[in-house]
Amino acid sequence: KNCGSWRGRYFNISNGRLAVYKNNRPTGKPKRVFELNDVQNCRAENLKSVTDTAFYDKFENRVYLQSKERAHGPMFLYAKDAKSAKSWERAVKMSKYLQSATDREALAVVVGRVAGNTMKKGWDALFAYASEIASTKKLVRTLAMRLMKVEVSRGWNKMRLVYQQKMAADKLRKEQQEWGAKFLKEKMEKINTQAVRSPKTVRANLISQIQSKFRHYRQERIFERMYPLGSAV
């Protein structure tokens, strides 16, 4: 405010500096640049909370900014809403701690990653929604075709079930063949690794088997009272 009049300017906050422009043209050059690391006072204000100074035009939110480089009075950064004013206030206050280029670059990288992550979530949600819409359209189209061609749909379903049964039978037969070949291979390997028994061993095993079977037969006949007790055999 100068001699009872307001002087409007455009500005941009970047890399710890406040660049003031005469107009909002993309190719415009800044009229003056203020360093934000030496700001004396910065606060967000609202039309309802401030009574000493009037607000410009129809704005209801602004940022009060007092800098050492502008000793004759403060600057007012007018925002469209309270959220933007708070964001500008945080950016100005954060500039006090980002005095070196390395700190500003590190903060820019972090902000970029956060923004990229948020953008990625948005794209993922958009792709998921598009996929759901496509699947719903496909389902509706399939249902409509089945209702329009009931006889063809019945035949197709029956043919699909028969095909699935045939494929399952072929798969089971193939698995059985593989299992049989594996079992036969193991048996052959076991036979090849076994040692040949001598005639004396074979004769002893045969006699032991005959005696065991005869004892089993004798016990059964005695239990049935069909075996003559007292017999020598």
Side-chain angles (χ1 to χ4, degrees):
K1 188 174 182 181
N2 187 13
C3 298
S5 63
W6 291 93
R7 181 175 298 176
R9 293 289 185 266
Y10 298 89
F11 67 92
N12 181 28
I13 299 176
S14 178
N15 295 328
R17 296 182 178 90
L18 176 66
V20 180
Y21 299 86
K22 191 174 181 179
N23 51 55
N24 60 348
R25 295 176 183 174
T27 58
K29 295 183 179 180
K31 187 176 180 181
R32 188 170 180 182
V33 178
F34 296 92
E35 296 290 340
L36 297 178
N37 55 3
D38 58 353
V39 172
Q40 296 175 343
N41 191 5
C42 177
R43 65 177 182 270
E45 297 180 344
N46 186 271
L47 180 62
K48 298 179 181 180
S49 61
V50 177
T51 58
D52 54 347
T53 56
F55 274 67
Y56 177 73
D57 201 9
K58 297 180 180 180
F59 289 96
E60 296 183 358
N61 297 276
R62 69 185 181 186
V63 176
Y64 177 90
L65 188 64
Q66 181 66 52
S67 176
K68 292 181 180 179
E69 301 180 35
R70 195 173 187 272
H72 60 276
M75 292 180 289
F76 297 100
L77 310 181
Y78 286 91
K80 294 181 179 180
D81 50 23
K83 184 177 180 181
S84 300
K86 285 292 183 181
S87 301
W88 296 348
E89 181 188 13
R90 284 193 295 266
V92 173
K93 291 182 178 180
M94 187 64 66
S95 300
K96 295 182 180 180
Y97 308 99
L98 302 176
Q99 298 182 6
S100 63
T102 305
D103 296 339
R104 291 194 292 268
E105 184 178 357
L107 180 62
V109 171
V110 173
V111 173
R113 288 186 177 180
V114 173
N117 189 21
T118 305
M119 187 178 297
K120 182 179 181 299
K121 290 182 179 180
W123 277 108
D124 291 342
L126 183 61
F127 278 117
Y129 178 74
S131 177
E132 184 178 357
I133 292 296
S135 61
T136 304
K137 289 182 178 179
K138 183 179 180 181
L139 182 61
V140 172
R141 185 164 53 251
T142 303
L143 180 61
M145 292 300 295
R146 287 188 176 183
L147 292 176
M148 292 173 60
K149 300 181 179 180
V150 180
E151 299 297 333
V152 177
S153 178
R154 290 176 182 175
W156 171 258
N157 290 335
K158 185 175 181 180
M159 183 176 65
R160 185 175 60 179
L161 291 176
V162 173
Y163 176 76
Q164 291 178 354
Q165 292 178 356
K166 182 180 179 182
M167 294 299 296
D170 294 341
K171 183 179 180 181
L172 179 61
R173 181 168 59 254
K174 185 177 180 181
E175 292 178 353
Q176 289 178 347
Q177 291 177 356
E178 293 178 355
W179 182 86
K182 184 177 180 180
F183 179 77
L184 182 61
K185 180 181 177 182
E186 292 178 355
K187 281 293 184 181
M188 295 297 294
E189 291 178 352
K190 188 176 181 181
I191 292 173
N192 294 332
T193 55
Q194 288 180 349
V196 180
R197 294 183 294 180
S198 61
K200 184 177 180 181
T201 305
V202 174
R203 190 183 308 109
N205 291 338
L206 183 61
I207 294 173
S208 298
Q209 291 178 3
I210 293 174
Q211 290 176 351
S212 177
K213 290 182 179 181
F214 178 74
R215 284 194 297 269
H216 183 68
Y217 168 76
R218 184 170 178 271
Q219 291 292 336
E220 289 182 352
R221 302 300 288 180
I222 291 175
F223 180 77
E224 295 174 358
R225 299 180 181 181
M226 299 292 293
Y227 191 82
L229 297 176
S231 176
V233 296

